[in-house]
Each structure stands twice: as C-alpha cells, then as structure tokens.
Amino acid sequence: MKIINNLKGIRTQRKIAQKQLAMDTGYDPRTIRRVELGECCPSAEFMFDMSDYFGN
C-alpha cells in the first residue's frame, strides 16, 4: 500500500523513530507500527495529522 510506504519512508528519511512520532503526534506507538506494517487502514484524521506533522 502506497500510504504505508510513504509514511515509513518519510519517517525514516527524517530519522524519526516510531516512538518519537507517536509522542509528537499523540498516537499510540502500536498504531504507528500497525499502519506501517499494513495491519490496519489509517483513518482520515490520522493521515491529516501525519500530513500536518511532516509539513506536506
């Protein structure tokens, strides 16, 4: 899934750990991990929050 690859790619490119991303955005670290692994489909709110966080 392209969303998963984009999130993980941007996060790793900017050298941000999943735990740090979770702390900065208020999401549970398990949520970040599950989205990146494709175990769940991110909500629209999650995607807007990630977009705001990464400035895209």
Side-chain angles (χ1 to χ4, degrees):
M1 182 178 221
K2 190 171 177 107
I3 292 170
I4 297 163
N5 293 337
N6 286 342
L7 176 60
K8 186 174 182 177
I10 291 170
R11 181 183 62 74
T12 56
Q13 181 182 26
R14 296 185 185 187
K15 298 182 175 131
I16 300 169
Q18 286 179 343
K19 185 175 182 179
Q20 184 63 48
L21 178 59
M23 287 175 40
D24 291 347
T25 60
Y27 284 94
D28 189 293
R30 291 175 292 191
T31 301
I32 305 294
R33 181 183 54 80
R34 289 183 67 217
V35 169
E36 288 187 355
L37 292 174
E39 294 177 356
C40 70
C41 185
S43 67
E45 180 181 7
F46 178 90
M47 295 310 298
F48 283 123
D49 291 342
M50 292 301 121
S51 179
D52 285 343
Y53 180 82
F54 289 110
N56 293 323

